[in-house]
Amino acid sequence: MATPGGFVSPNTVKAARADRAGRRARLRHARHTSRWERAVTQMHARGLADANASVTPGTSVESNSTVPPTSGAMASGYTSSNVVAEARKYLGGNPTGRGSLWCARFMNMVLQHSGYRGTGSDMASSFAKYGQRISGPQVGAIAVMSRGRRGGHVGIITGIDAKGNPIMISGNSGNRVRELPVSRGRIYAYVMPTS
């Protein structure tokens, strides 16, 4: 309120500032929410939201062929969510005890603790020929990627970020287990675990 001399009371200034701050906070929240909603909508549109790969009974699938993503439970009775949950138990640590080259060992350990067989190899590229090949990222899928001249890397897909890049938990990422988005262009194979 303005006083007769044209001055604004200090309480009015404080109230106006608080109102502006509240509006800014609501706008930030709305922007964050809309990014999240866009990402969730994209995942649903691509069939990626908590989906597992499955193969129609009676269908013959070679071990290295591509299976289009579909929803439903896997024939083994396990779900990909138990693999993701198992991998998340180790975030921030190194459960393998190795000092280097342990992403594939971590992946094999997570698979074994989740009731799946692994590749038994310490090479990330061994997962490119493992399980059932699928055409794109799905929650619970194993992603195999190149690291240029430094070999490969492997991890488990946990979601998709707002830019469409897969989010992955992997071992030996900064010498610990981390969950980070990765460039989809680096991934050359997606496979679903098999028992």
Side-chain angles (χ1 to χ4, degrees):
M1 286 196 172
T3 60
F7 295 105
V8 177
S9 75
N11 289 340
T12 304
V13 172
K14 286 181 185 177
R17 285 182 184 156
D19 186 47
R20 282 194 302 273
R23 274 186 276 158
R24 282 193 301 270
R26 286 189 300 277
L27 287 171
R28 276 193 307 272
H29 178 72
R31 280 195 303 268
H32 173 72
T33 301
S34 63
R35 272 192 305 236
W36 172 255
E37 289 171 350
R38 280 194 306 269
V40 169
T41 301
Q42 287 174 350
M43 287 175 60
H44 283 287
R46 294 178 183 155
L48 303 173
D50 201 26
N52 299 320
S54 64
V55 178
T56 307
T59 305
S60 169
V61 178
E62 295 178 31
S63 65
N64 209 17
S65 63
T66 300
V67 177
T70 59
S71 61
M74 293 186 332
S76 67
Y78 297 104
T79 63
S80 60
S81 61
N82 64 344
V83 178
V84 172
E86 181 66 26
R88 281 197 171 124
K89 290 179 184 178
Y90 305 101
L91 286 172
N94 176 352
T96 68
R98 290 191 65 171
S100 64
L101 305 174
W102 55 273
C103 63
R105 183 164 292 186
F106 172 71
M107 191 77 257
N108 277 308
M109 182 194 82
V110 167
L111 288 168
Q112 182 181 13
H113 290 183
S114 302
Y116 295 99
R117 65 171 177 78
T119 65
S121 173
D122 284 341
M123 297 197 54
S125 61
S126 68
F127 284 92
K129 297 178 179 126
Y130 167 82
Q132 293 179 346
R133 196 86 175 248
I134 57 174
S135 60
Q138 291 184 36
V139 172
I142 297 168
V144 187
M145 65 183 73
S146 64
R147 272 193 170 160
R149 295 180 184 164
R150 296 182 358 208
H153 194 62
V154 64
I156 191 89
I157 301 297
T158 62
I160 306 293
D161 73 5
K163 295 179 182 176
N165 289 312
I167 301 169
M168 183 173 87
I169 295 177
S170 62
N172 199 25
S173 176
N175 204 31
R176 63 186 184 273
V177 177
R178 295 198 304 178
E179 184 170 14
L180 300 167
V182 294
S183 171
R184 63 182 172 258
R186 289 181 49 209
I187 299 173
Y188 67 89
Y190 294 98
V191 296
M192 290 305 286
T194 57
S195 57

